[in-house]
Structures are given as structure tokens and as C-alpha cells.
Amino acid sequence: MVTKHRLKKWLFGLGLTGSLAGTASSSWALDEAAALAEWQAFLNQQTELVTRTKLNADFVPGSITVLHGETLVRYGAKTLADALALAPNIDMQINLLGQRVIVMRGVGAAFSNSSVKVMLDGVNTVHASQGFAQTLLHMPVEQIERIEIIRGAATVVHGEDAIAGVVNIITRDTPHAHLAVGSNGYRGASISQGSDLGSGRVRINLSAWGHQATGVRAESDAVTVFSDAVNERFGSSFGFEQYSAAPGRVNNQRAFEQLQLGWQTDQTQLSFAYNRLRTGDFYGVIEFLPPSDERYAQTYEDYLISLNHEQALTNNLRSVTQLSLSQLSYELDTLYVPNLIPGSVVNNLQQGVLSFCSSQPEPMNCINEETSRLSFLPGFLEQQSYINQVREQQVQLQQQFIYDLNSAHRLLFGVDVRWVEITHAAAEGIQNLPSNDHENVKTRFGSTGDSRHTLALFLQDEWRISEDFTLTAGIRWQQQWVNYTDRSKDNQKLADPWQDLEVAKVTPKLAAVWQVAPKHILKAQFSQSHVTPPINQVTDVGNLKPGEVRPEAAQSDHYELGYVYAGYVQTHRITFYHSEFAQLAAGTHYYHYFRPLNASEFGQTDYAGLRQIRAKGVEWDADFRLGFRWRGFTNLSINQTDDLSGNAVVGSRPYLGRLGLDYKFNDALHLAGSVSYAAPLALEPYDDRDDLPSYWLWNAAANYMLPVRGWRARLTVNNLTNVQVASPSPINVSLSQLAGKPTAPYANGYLHEGRSITLSLDYQF
């Protein structure tokens, strides 16, 4: 990093050269000097995310990226999800319900979001019931000061949910107003205001945005694929496809609202946040395309309250206390199929089975086999509403003591207490059964009263052995107590099925940072992590047979070796990483992927079930400037994420790259753009479809400072070439067995929105 002395000397040299060269050169030198000073401030961002110590991000152990809200605005990003899509080795995907999925180093597509911890101003927002944090991923960038991202395990300080990484959003505090309109009925607005009050400062942030369905179409769904399969199998047309909404438009509309209030002094900060997200039902809860009726089918609501207090107890000892309370809820209200399928159609299918089997060598065996293949059908034939609700409360108290032994040695000791309880859980309408029927009990996201309590102790030692070398060692001990309801049938319930979740966990970390020379930094790190599976993934355990693996906390070993070149006008970071994840939680929409699968029934090799994965590769990212007019970023990752048998993990890509450029045409006009290249995306190992294709994605933005002071207009075009971007869709095992080949209701994956155009107006108070 550039020292203050060197920077002043360098700037003085620029000024002296400019004065000798004349007035024009002097003007250029002043512009260049101002740009360089701004650039150094940009690079010298400090973070407490990794070690709880304010350090320059390049001197922090491990891989950390800091994204700046103002920079993201210039590049045309609209939400946190858009911003993360620009970060190194992060791929933003969606699932069948349109939920945003963070895929970090190839891990995430099949695991909900339970591998990445997402926080707002240091407060966890991951739902313990399901493992996702949806609302914040839709937070507008105008309300974001910066985003701090850890790629890799961060359990020692951040605890569970941080098995693959951490994302922390720091809220904007500078006054501003923002209005936006765009294609597909997009509307957005936000405002921030702060003022001094007594010895402290208060602030308020308000934001809202939304868009209508964008016109994305689904050419098939589970009904049409089933129709094609039975028609081909029995050599006749039964007409099931006429009762599907596919081909048809996907209801992918979204609406987001947020309110944040804050009060702070030098020592104390009190914050409140309310976030609500509503979306359409996208591709249907079981991949039957619902009618695009412009209604909201999903609602997420988060209430967050946090109190932070920091106090110096002695000259060398500080106390930092954080108490947070949150209520997180989710409601899903969607349909299975859009029309009523009459019994005559089903009767015709039954007659078709009898006719088909009468010509077979063993008719009765054939009838039994075909009836078994079709056994899943009757429960899903009628139009039916499906409602699933869950609400949980979380309380977390973290007490830290920071003790400076001397100027080169610092100890951090922390106590972390967390309480989680589902206060409401209900499901009704599944297969048209009564609300208290067992099938509904199995399908709901948990049970009212399900709870777990966690106690953790952690210790971290930061020792600056010399001016150039810092060693950081840490260890975390965690114990939890589980009180879940076994949703299995009475005769299937197990004795103490969650005993492995209650085993105490010890996770260590050892990291070193060596500044070999002023511009050259080496990093190395080893750490372990663990994550407790989301509640809804472990409380239906009665189908486990004696000797089968019971629910247990996932854990990982993680290694990193990094190099940073911190130049005057460019910074390069290279990281080699290797992680091994064991005892992974079953993903929400990939149930069969985590279990032994008899894939030979549809012509594929049997699969033992995903239990362990390995992620390894190399990441390179850089920030640079070219003169005082050009600045930019670039990143490239080469990854191998597999199941230890060489099968690529669903949702992973072998490489991913991005380039962004920002051109300051003059004081009034900024032109910015980015291009991303994504390699083909892996599907399940027993799926013989080609991997989802690669693509180039272009974004462009023009920012114009209006003549009236403080006003700025911006025109943004995202997905400039309207390229088709898709996320993985799993095969349906029942349909695959019926068709005799791997079959997915949405063969082309879950399609993202196409081109969008947005015009916005900002005002800086």
C-alpha cells in the first residue's frame, strides 16, 4: 500500500511537473492528482468483517472483496443480487420459485442459501427454517454504502451459516433521493436522510421498487412433459397437455419495500429494519406452471432490531456488545395446475394401460409395473391451492472483549448465544387433503415450537510478529440443544434422531499475512467450518432405516494461498483455494440428488447420493485506473467443484470472468459498462442433457450530472444483447422412469429476465 509520505511526495511531483509544463499541463496534473487521491481512498477501505479489527481489506487474512455503493450505481446495478453478480467467483442463480441463489465457488445451487451468511449491518438474516435470506438480495444499491464479502469459511468469528462465505451489507448514511422508471413496468424510489440529535445522530432510509411479469415464457412443464411421455409410451394421445398453462408466460413479477431507522453516538448504535419482498410463483411449486394471473404468490417479511455498544474498560481493554432480535417469515400461496382434469381423461389413460399391457408377454406384471409408474399422478390432477407458512424468531447476543497486550499483539475473546424458534408453521391444500392430514404435516417448513439454542465461545489471537508479518490464530467451540418435532409417521419415528446435531463442534483457523515488500503481500490460511442444516430439511426423518446417516452438521476444511500486488494505480489479487465439504444438508429442490438413486430405471448409472464435495481453483481480481478518466475492475475464476468422483456439482461452472470499465468523459458525464462470461453450467451426473450453455452478458450505463447542483440522471441497459440466461432445473425422477430417459419439466432451465432499460434521477442533499 502507498504510505501517506509517498503519496504526498508523488502528488507534489505531479504538481511540480505540471507547473513547469504550463497552464494546460497544470490543469491536467491537478485532475490527475485529485483522481489519484480519490483512487487511494477507494483502495484503502477498512473492514472489520474477518477479524473484527479495522484493517485495509488487502491486509486481512483470506479472500475478501469490498464493493462500493457509489461504484455499483455508476455501473447500473439495481439490487444487491446485481452487485454480487459483479464480484469474483460468485454466480447469481434462481430456483423454480424464483428465489435468488448465491453460488460461491460453485457451491450453492442445490443447497438453498444455507452455505452463505447474509447480514445487514452485522445482523444475520438467514432463515433457520429454510436456510435462505431472500429479502436483502433485493435491496436497492442506492441504500448501500458498501458490501463486504468473504469467500471461504468464516465460522470462527461468524459461526454457523458461514460455511462457504459471508456477505455483509453496510447501510448508506448520506442524504439522497432516487426515482426510477423502466421496462416491464419497473418503478423504484428511495430516500435517505440523517441529522444530528443531541449527542447522537438519527437517520431514516426508505425504499421501494417493483416490476411486472417480464414476458419470459416456459415452453413446457411437468404436465406437458408427462403428456408427451404417456402418449409416446402407449402409442396414443390422451390430451393431458391441454390442461397445462405451458407453453405460457412465467409470473416473475417482484416488489420490494424497506424501512430503516437508526440512532447512534460514539459508543452506541440502535437500528431497526423492516424488509418485505413479494414475488410471483414463477415455475410452480412442483414445476406445474401456474397461470400468469399477475398475483403475488410469495411474501417474505423481516423485522430486525439491533443494539451495539462499545466501551473502553481500561486503556488496553474494550468491550463490544451486540444484541439482535429478528422475526423472519415466509408465505407461499400458489397453485398446482391451472385447470380441472376430468376423470374421463384418467379413465382413458387406464384403458390405454390395459390395451398396451394386453400385448405384452406378462400382462399382469405389466399392468402392475405401469400402474406403479403412474402412481404419483392422481394426487396432482385437480386445480388446487397450496399454502405454506412459517414464521420464526431469533435472538442473538454476542459479547466480545478486545485486549491489546501491546502495540503488536491483540486478543479477541467472544461469547455468542443464539436462540431460534418457529412461532408459527402451517400447510394446507397439498393433494386436497385436510389441513391436519399427515401429508400436510410432512410438507410444511417445520412445526410450531421447533427451537434450538446455541452457545459458542471463540478466541482469536492477532500477533504482528514484525512490521511486515502478522499471524492470526482462532478457535471456536460451539454446543447446541435441539428441540424439534419429528414430522414422520408414528411408526417411523426414531429415538433421538438429532443427536448428531447436538455434538459439540470445535473449529480452528490459522492465517498469516506477510508484506514482502511495500507493494507485495502474501497470504495463507487454513480454517474449518460447520453449518447446522435448515430445520425443514431434517425434521422428516422417519424414512431413514437403521444404520442410515441421521441429520448432522455439515463441516468443511478450507485452505487458501494468496498474493496481492498493491500498486499506485492498480491492485491485483490472486488466490488459490481448496475446500472439502462433508455431511452436506439436503437441498430444498434436489431431494433425490442427496440420496441413493436407482438411475438405471431411466438408462443412467446409479448414483450413491451427494455427501461430500470438493471445491478447488484459482481466482484473480484487479482494480485499476488509466489516467484520471478511466478506471475499472476485472476478475476471473477457474474452478473445479465436484463430488470427489469427478462429477461436477450442480450449478457449478469451470470458469467465470468479468470486466468493468468506467470512463469519465468530463465532470458531467460518466460512461460505464461491464461484460461477464459464464462457462456452461453443470447439471446432475445422471442427466444426459447438455450442460446449460455459456453466455456473454453486457450491461451499460450513462451517468449525467445535471447543471442544477446535486442532480444526476442515469440511463441503464442491463443484458444489452438480450441473451438467454438460465439456472439449472432438476430432472423429475418419476417422469424420467416413465419416459425411460432423464426428463426435466423445464428442459432449458429456469430462464432469467431478458433485456431491461431503466431511467433514474438522483439528488444528493
Side-chain angles (χ1 to χ4, degrees), residues 406-522:
N406 51 53
S407 60
H409 204 166
R410 170 173 289 168
L411 292 178
L412 168 67
F413 172 73
V415 180
D416 197 348
V417 180
R418 187 182 183 194
W419 169 78
V420 176
E421 180 177 353
I422 294 181
T423 57
H424 173 73
E428 56 185 69
I430 181 77
Q431 299 185 16
N432 283 335
L433 297 173
S435 61
N436 60 349
D437 188 274
H438 180 71
E439 292 304 317
N440 290 327
V441 173
K442 287 182 63 177
T443 305
R444 71 187 181 209
F445 297 129
S447 300
T448 302
D450 283 357
S451 64
R452 74 168 186 257
H453 308 83
T454 304
L455 171 64
L457 306 175
F458 57 93
L459 178 65
Q460 181 177 266
D461 183 355
E462 283 183 89
W463 183 19
R464 195 168 73 244
I465 298 176
S466 69
E467 286 294 324
D468 303 322
F469 188 85
T470 302
L471 188 67
T472 303
I475 190 167
R476 184 184 185 94
W477 172 88
Q478 180 167 308
Q479 173 71 62
Q480 70 175 355
W481 297 267
V482 173
N483 181 26
Y484 295 160
T485 300
D486 186 346
R487 294 180 292 131
S488 305
K489 293 181 179 179
D490 291 341
N491 61 356
Q492 291 180 319
K493 289 185 177 180
L494 302 178
D496 194 13
W498 300 288
Q499 59 187 6
D500 292 334
L501 294 179
E502 297 185 321
V503 174
K505 295 289 184 180
V506 177
T507 51
K509 178 179 79 171
L510 181 63
V513 178
W514 180 24
Q515 189 174 13
V516 182
K519 298 180 182 179
H520 304 277
I521 305 166
L522 292 178

Side-chain angles (χ1 to χ4, degrees), residues 562-627:
Y563 165 72
V564 179
Y565 171 78
Y568 297 131
V569 294
Q570 55 184 309
T571 299
H572 297 266
R573 308 169 189 90
I574 300 175
T575 303
F576 297 88
Y577 68 90
H578 181 108
S579 299
E580 297 201 4
F581 301 79
Q583 293 85 46
L584 290 167
T588 305
H589 305 295
Y590 280 84
Y591 302 103
H592 53 274
Y593 189 34
F594 297 86
R595 300 171 181 172
L597 178 65
N598 185 12
S600 58
E601 294 187 15
F602 49 89
Q604 300 295 301
T605 304
D606 292 345
Y607 192 65
L610 188 68
R611 291 292 297 159
Q612 296 180 315
I613 64 175
R614 171 181 52 207
K616 60 182 180 180
V618 58
E619 302 165 341
W620 165 63
D621 73 282
D623 298 300
F624 58 87
R625 59 182 296 273
L626 305 170

